[in-house]
Amino acid sequence: MIDGLRFAVGTLTAFPVRVERVDRRVAGQAMLLAPLVGLALGGLACLALLLPGPELLGAALALALLAAMTRGLHLDGLADLADGLGSGRPAAQALDIMKKSDIGPFGVMTLVLTLLVQAAALTRAGPAGLIAACVTGRLALAWACRAGVPAARPGGLGAMVSGTVRPAAAWAVTAATVLVAAVAGLALGQPVIPVGVAAGLGASLVLLRHAGRRLGGVTGDVLGALVEVATAGCLVVCAAFR
């Protein structure tokens, strides 16, 4: 599992990690361990919420810190997927649009609105909500990479990790995550946290289904978009019912 954890950290963060083994078995382990990476990222990002000043400023700085720790890859994936799906083109042409390095109007609009929603919700969801949201975002990866979900193209990260997670393992990790979230929520007086986890994961699965139908499977951009959508969904619910 050490190889899987290294792969997860090296793929999902900007932290330098020496990955000695890369194959589909390790990739599957990495996707199952991804929520642990989200836990660490969320904990570090919470430091920005402790700074003096308006709550919205702290929320914006926390999201900026998250983007820095992940090299902005998930946000980039969200923008690329928005441009691809928003184009209305057939799958092959949409995938070509997503591979381009520039960003179109759909990508800009989606990025701005998503970050606004995340920042606004974070001002009320608080540190616990942020940590839960970061974990949920990475939990979505296990479901996107489960057996039966194909890759949209033969190369890239999507092809490496797609179909590497057994459904039973995805369910097990999800159950463990919800259980921990429920215990933490009760301890912190925020019983809505496990509901936020479920809501964020549900939102990502809806997007996964739509992207799979339009593109024929997952890509690295799709995975990044799922992280951001699950994060936003969890934050919104944690904020709305806190």
Side-chain angles (χ1 to χ4, degrees), residues 192-228:
V192 72
I193 288 180
V195 181
V197 172
L201 181 59
S204 71
L205 291 177
V206 171
L207 177 59
L208 174 63
R209 183 177 180 85
H210 178 61
R213 285 179 172 178
R214 286 280 285 106
L215 304 176
V218 298
T219 67
D221 287 332
V222 173
L223 298 179
L226 295 176
V227 170
E228 294 299 334

Side-chain angles (χ1 to χ4, degrees), residues 48-62 119 122-123:
L49 300 178
L50 302 178
L51 297 174
E55 291 183 343
L56 183 57
L57 176 60
L61 291 175
L122 181 52
T123 60

